[in-house]
Amino acid sequence: MRPVDSAGAAEVPEPGLPLMDDAPQGASEEPAAAEAAGTPGPCRCWVCGNSPCGSEAKKKARCPGLGLFYTLLSAFLFSVGSLFVKKVQDVHAVEISAFRCVFQMLVVIPCLIYRKTGFIGPKGQRIFLLLRGVLGSTAMILLYYAFQATSLADATVITFSSPVFTSIFAWIFLKEKYSPWDALFTAFTITGVILIVRPPFLFGASAAGTDESYSVHLKGTFAAVAHAVFAAVTMVIIRKMGKSVDYFLSIWYYVVLGLLESVIVLFIIGEWSLPYCGLDRLFLILIGLFGLGGQVFLTKALQIEKAGPVAIMKTMDVVFAFIFQIIFFNDMPTWWTVGGALCVVASSTGAAIRKWCQSSK
């Protein structure tokens, strides 16, 4: 599944996380395979109808907007995976995380064997790999709990605050620049989260609600905020490791430690049980499949499109979350949630545009 991520076997990801930063190497350029074969005479793309691909010295023309289409498809698949998490109410969020780790482990192991990277990693990076695995899997568990405890739209919106926390932690630990624009985006994000949480001491009991459902909503929103924080720290750790660690090795630590952490927590809270309903079992499989598919398309999008436009299109996660919440749960979002969503999405979009402009200079 959230927020499954990357090159065909990556973790799900957490919506909006890596997209605020510069794209990985080659993300803003077409792969070497995109070089034209030098075939004489004109050729046109059968999908978009672009005119002649050119000669040996020119790159083959690609379909305009294909990267954004991949991002849109990725956002849809991630949102459907989140919908299934919300639907599986009889299975604890920690157990869903365990099933997802098992699914991804089956995909990552063959990749590590094929790439001959080993299963331990460079000696100087192992502590960072351990931290990445523990914190990343904790973020995943918190995300799934948030989806189950509060509305789909609220949880999805709050997860988009992760890039703001990433900027703060990168400023503290990596000495990256934190500009007044970053402070403004942070203020917008905090405002959006407050509008969604609606604490009684600010909004009064009538606006927040005083019944048990609000207590559950509060736990869910706090879990979503905690997910955003842990995901941001994970991103800073990944930046710290840089290119010295193979991506699949990073995912390996993530799924192994995630499975171990999930099993330990399940035994402590006594919630381990196989789903009785066949439909729930199907949902668990689909959570992994849709999350993995979403990450594949997200990675493909970053390979052929700049990170800025991809990050902006990724905000469609929020739109899909609102649509699914209304259609499948008959739950109309409040104006507080809509206002909070606008603040958080504006913050994420602003940060993406700023990064995009900086990288274009």
Side-chain angles (χ1 to χ4, degrees):
M1 197 32 273
R2 222 87 198 292
V4 177
D5 214 82
S6 236
E11 65 193 81
V12 187
E14 301 127 74
L17 219 183
L19 300 179
M20 293 303 136
D21 306 297
D22 293 333
Q25 185 178 15
S28 61
E29 302 176 359
E30 296 199 62
E35 295 291 337
T39 306
C43 59
R44 304 178 75 89
C45 174
W46 65 273
V47 177
C48 66
N50 276 338
S51 52
C53 299
S55 61
E56 283 186 344
K58 295 182 180 180
K59 293 183 178 180
K60 183 186 294 183
R62 61 180 172 83
C63 301
L66 183 59
L68 297 182
F69 173 74
Y70 283 154
T71 307
L72 181 65
L73 186 56
S74 169
F76 176 77
L77 293 176
F78 278 139
S79 299
V80 174
S82 303
L83 172 65
F84 288 139
V85 174
K86 183 71 175 176
K87 280 287 192 180
V88 185
Q89 290 290 339
D90 294 332
V91 181
H92 198 279
V94 182
E95 188 171 349
I96 297 177
S97 303
F99 276 106
R100 181 204 159 199
C101 288
V102 171
F103 177 84
Q104 284 196 302
M105 191 180 297
L106 297 176
V107 178
V108 172
I109 289 177
C111 295
L112 287 175
I113 295 174
Y114 175 77
R115 296 165 74 92
K116 299 179 181 179
T117 59
F119 293 85
I120 299 178
K123 188 174 182 180
Q125 301 292 342
R126 291 171 191 171
I127 182 64
F128 295 114
L129 285 168
L130 288 170
L131 288 173
R132 182 266 185 276
V134 173
L135 296 176
S137 56
T138 301
M140 172 182 61
I141 293 172
L142 289 168
L143 177 67
Y144 289 173
Y145 177 80
F147 281 139
Q148 290 188 332
T150 190
S151 72
L152 191 63
D154 287 356
T156 302
V157 168
I158 294 176
T159 60
F160 270 82
S161 63
S162 181
V164 173
F165 291 114
T166 301
S167 298
I168 295 175
F169 291 136
W171 170 53
I172 296 174
F173 297 108
L174 301 181
K175 308 304 179 184
E176 293 185 6
K177 185 178 179 181
Y178 188 79
S179 68
W181 281 108
D182 295 313
L184 178 63
F185 298 144
T186 301
F188 264 89
T189 299
I190 293 174
T191 302
V193 172
I194 289 175
L195 290 175
I196 293 173
V197 177
R198 302 186 299 279
F201 67 89
L202 288 178
F203 292 82
S206 59
T210 56
D211 56 4
E212 183 180 355
S213 63
Y214 177 72
S215 175
V216 176
H217 165 76
L218 200 60
K219 293 178 182 177
T221 51
F222 282 154
V225 172
H227 156 79
V229 173
F230 278 103
V233 176
T234 301
M235 273 303 301
V236 171
I237 292 173
I238 293 175
R239 284 189 193 175
K240 178 69 176 177
M241 291 188 295
K243 299 177 182 178
S244 62
V245 176
D246 187 271
Y247 182 80
F248 282 99
L249 185 62
S250 174
I251 299 302
W252 168 250
Y253 271 82
Y254 172 82
V255 295
V256 169
L257 294 177
L259 179 59
L260 181 62
E261 180 180 350
S262 298
V263 171
I264 292 174
V265 173
L266 284 172
F267 276 108
I268 291 175
I269 64 179
E271 290 286 348
W272 178 265
S273 62
L274 291 175
Y276 295 104
C277 176
L279 193 59
D280 283 348
R281 298 174 188 175
L282 176 61
F283 285 162
L284 289 174
I285 296 174
L286 292 177
I287 286 170
L289 289 176
F290 276 94
L292 187 59
Q295 192 55 49
V296 168
F297 283 108
L298 180 59
T299 302
K300 186 64 178 175
L302 284 170
Q303 288 176 342
I304 62 177
E305 186 60 81
K306 291 186 176 181
V310 170
I312 296 173
M313 181 61 74
K314 189 70 170 63
T315 58
M316 285 299 296
D317 278 1
V318 176
V319 177
F320 287 130
F322 275 83
I323 294 174
F324 291 160
Q325 178 174 313
I326 296 172
I327 294 177
F328 293 99
F329 301 101
N330 196 27
D331 182 5
M332 186 67 66
T334 65
W335 286 111
W336 297 114
T337 297
V338 174
L342 291 175
C343 288
V344 174
V345 170
S347 173
S348 299
T349 303
I353 293 175
R354 182 171 177 271
K355 288 283 186 182
W356 184 15
C357 293
Q358 287 179 333
S359 64
S360 299
K361 291 180 180 179

